[in-house]
Amino acid sequence: MKILVVEDEIKLAMSLKRGLEEYGFPTSVALDGAAARKAVEFGEINLIIMDVNLPDVNGYDLCRDIRARNNP
C-alpha cells in the first residue's frame, strides 16, 4: 500500500512519513496541491492523508478533483 501525505508544514509531513514508514508503509510527501496532483497522476497511490489548509488550494477541492479524475 502506497501512502501520500499532503501537508505544507514540512516538520509535520516528515514526522508522519517517518511514522508510517516505521510500520512498513511506503510513503511520499507532497507540500502543496500541485505536487499532490503530480504524485497521484504519476504514481500508484492507495491512500492520501491530506491537510485541508494548503497554500495553493483548499484540501476539500483538491480531494474532489483527484476523485473526479480517478473515477471514470
Side-chain angles (χ1 to χ4, degrees), residues 31-54:
L31 299 176
D32 58 31
R37 284 186 182 101
K38 286 181 185 177
V40 170
E41 184 178 336
F42 294 111
E44 183 64 34
I45 304 296
N46 302 104
L47 175 71
I48 300 174
I49 300 171
M50 187 179 319
D51 184 9
V52 175
N53 296 315
L54 296 168

Side-chain angles (χ1 to χ4, degrees), residues 50 58-71:
M50 187 179 319
N58 178 292
Y60 294 118
D61 294 335
L62 178 58
C63 184
R64 281 187 208 96
D65 181 46
I66 290 170
R67 290 182 73 171
R69 290 176 188 227
N70 290 307
N71 286 327

